[in-house]
Amino acid sequence: MDMERTARALVASGKGILAADESLSTIEKRFNSLGIPAAEENRRAYREMLFTTPGLGEFISGVILFDETIRQKTADGTPLVEALKRQEIIPGIKVDRGAEPMAAFPGEKITEGLDGLRERLAEYVRLGARFTKWRAVITIGTNLPSRTCLESNAHALARFAALSQEAGLVPIVEPEVLMEGEHTIERHFEVTETILKMVFQALFEHRVRLEGMLLKPNMVLAGNHCPQQAGVTQVAEATLRCLRQAVPAAVPGIVFLSGGQSDVLATEHLNALNQLGKVPWELSFSFGRALQAPALETWKGAAENISAAQKVLHHRAQCNSAARFGKYSSRRESAAQGGRASMSA
Ligand code: 13P
């Protein structure tokens, strides 16, 4: 399958992406908060639980894996990549090596991982990956972000995307403007518009084929410590206005990150976005926390909770699938909450 077909398959009608590519330190943080020991076997068992959820392929088109996970197997010895393929889910891989403090720019980060990337991509192709992800992190603060930080991250994203396409892999280009902070929704809009324009300029200069990539942006929100929080419709309208300013129509799909929003709010925002009328791209999801959090809380590291946790993940995926059609409702949600309440009882 060529890159354009893979990109379109990842944003197929009613489907979205499960981001399960937490680095070792991030998954440790998530496990720690629930008292689950951060052992390799627990990470493996957790990902097996997620990926073998019955019926997941109806709503999930692709899963983003971490380097450790793409090499792991289910308890019965099936590679996790194979378990995904059995559900008709496309395996992808996070290839950046994390956002590190940017020298001489206090409070800002630059994403690393370009050195040796060509060779790593060749290995990931052999392991079955069909798409890649690279996340840049932009912080809003007093006098932040700097132009240098934005440009450096845009440049790295473009180099990652060009190398991915050279290997036949669909790059998911993720410039995340963090929602942490006191900033207003207007300020979040301004920074998001600026980085998106820089990213598409860099992608053009690096000869990246827009038809064979996906954009993974943040939604445009007020900072989590801003006293004035925006409503669901306001977020959807601001996000769409921003994307229209900056994202070329040749991009097949926009797959939002959830970025620390609650699971239900992320679904509500996606739903409102899809109710706003005609746009040139598919508007879908590539959620990490907003898909996994309730399932992880239900699983708690215990084998006897697997089936209950899978039901929770299935319902979350189904709610987000409905949101892709603008057909999500509180009635649909309450079925999930009923399920969750009885399962945690
Ligand atoms: P969140 O949806 O939890 O923000 O994670 C998505 C992701 O893949 C971040 O790189």
Side-chain angles (χ1 to χ4, degrees):
M1 207 196 260
D2 68 11
M3 287 182 288
E4 289 183 30
R5 279 177 58 203
T6 303
R8 283 200 303 269
L10 286 168
V11 290
S13 180
K15 293 191 187 186
I17 295 169
L18 166 63
D21 59 328
E22 295 81 8
S23 63
L24 297 180
S25 59
T26 302
I27 195 86
E28 183 171 353
K29 214 162 56 189
R30 307 258 190 276
F31 278 12
N32 276 348
S33 68
L34 295 164
I36 305 166
E40 179 180 351
E41 171 51 22
N42 281 341
R43 295 192 292 271
R44 191 208 60 73
Y46 175 59
R47 266 75 180 240
E48 174 176 351
M49 181 278 288
L50 295 177
F51 304 165
T52 56
T53 294
L56 193 66
E58 201 184 327
F59 312 116
I60 298 296
S61 55
V63 169
I64 315 176
L65 304 165
F66 181 63
D67 182 77
E68 176 184 81
T69 323
I70 200 170
R71 304 165 195 282
Q72 286 174 324
K73 298 186 167 127
T74 62
D76 71 5
T78 309
L80 289 180
V81 166
E82 206 43 53
L84 290 173
K85 286 189 190 158
R86 283 184 194 160
Q87 302 240 53
E88 291 182 33
I89 295 174
I90 304 172
I93 181 84
K94 165 200 178 78
V95 302
D96 67 71
R97 294 209 141 136
E100 297 293 333
M102 184 157 150
F105 287 82
E108 298 200 280
K109 291 190 165 170
I110 178 74
T111 302
E112 298 189 345
L114 287 171
D115 288 357
L117 183 55
R118 177 176 277 129
E119 291 71 27
R120 287 166 56 221
L121 291 173
E123 189 194 10
Y124 289 138
V125 169
R126 285 196 297 277
L127 290 169
R130 299 252 304 280
F131 67 99
T132 53
K133 185 197 93 170
W134 180 288
R135 173 176 179 249
V137 180
I138 309 300
T139 308
I140 299 181
T142 313
N143 298 321
L144 297 186
S146 68
R147 188 156 191 95
T148 311
C149 176
L150 296 177
E151 276 171 359
S152 306
N153 275 296
H155 177 255
L157 278 166
R159 286 194 56 202
F160 140 78
L163 280 163
S164 295
Q165 291 192 337
E166 179 189 84
L169 296 161
V170 172
I172 298 190
V173 174
E174 180 181 10
E176 175 175 5
V177 183
L178 295 177
M179 60 182 263
E180 279 74 34
E182 296 176 1
H183 53 268
T184 61
I185 187 170
E186 288 79 15
R187 178 74 180 131
H188 203 223
F189 183 109
E190 182 179 63
V191 175
T192 303
E193 181 183 2
T194 304
I195 185 65
L196 288 178
K197 286 184 170 169
M198 284 181 172
V199 166
F200 280 102
Q201 180 63 28
L203 291 170
F204 169 67
E205 285 166 7
H206 286 256
R207 304 182 177 171
V208 172
R209 281 192 11 231
L210 300 185
E211 294 86 349
M213 64 157 278
L214 296 172
L215 177 71
K216 177 163 174 168
N218 51 279
M219 296 176 187
V220 174
L221 309 159
N224 60 347
H225 293 123
C226 176
Q228 208 137 32
Q229 288 297 311
V232 170
T233 309
Q234 193 188 353
V235 167
E237 284 173 356
T239 301
L240 205 54
R241 203 156 21 95
C242 187
L243 294 170
R244 281 191 205 276
Q245 298 295 326
V247 185
V251 174
I254 294 176
V255 293
F256 292 100
L257 59 94
S258 60
Q261 302 176 62
S262 77
D263 52 354
V264 171
L265 194 54
T267 309
E268 285 176 350
H269 285 150
L270 181 65
N271 190 57
L273 275 155
N274 276 300
Q275 287 178 339
L276 283 178
K278 249 182 119 43
V279 287
W281 341 268
E282 294 293 327
L283 293 178
S284 186
F285 58 91
S286 173
F287 294 160
R289 283 160 284 181
L291 272 169
Q292 291 183 53
L296 178 59
E297 282 160 28
T298 305
W299 178 63
K300 296 192 197 83
E304 65 265 28
N305 296 333
I306 288 175
S307 161
Q310 289 180 330
K311 287 197 181 95
V312 169
L313 174 65
H314 184 273
H315 206 110
R316 219 44 268 139
Q318 190 169 32
C319 285
N320 285 304
S321 170
R324 286 221 44 201
F325 301 106
K327 295 231 157 80
Y328 169 72
S329 64
S330 51
R331 246 186 50 220
R332 203 179 279 271
E333 186 57 55
S334 61
Q337 282 169 352
R340 220 185 288 172
S342 64
M343 275 176 279
S344 57

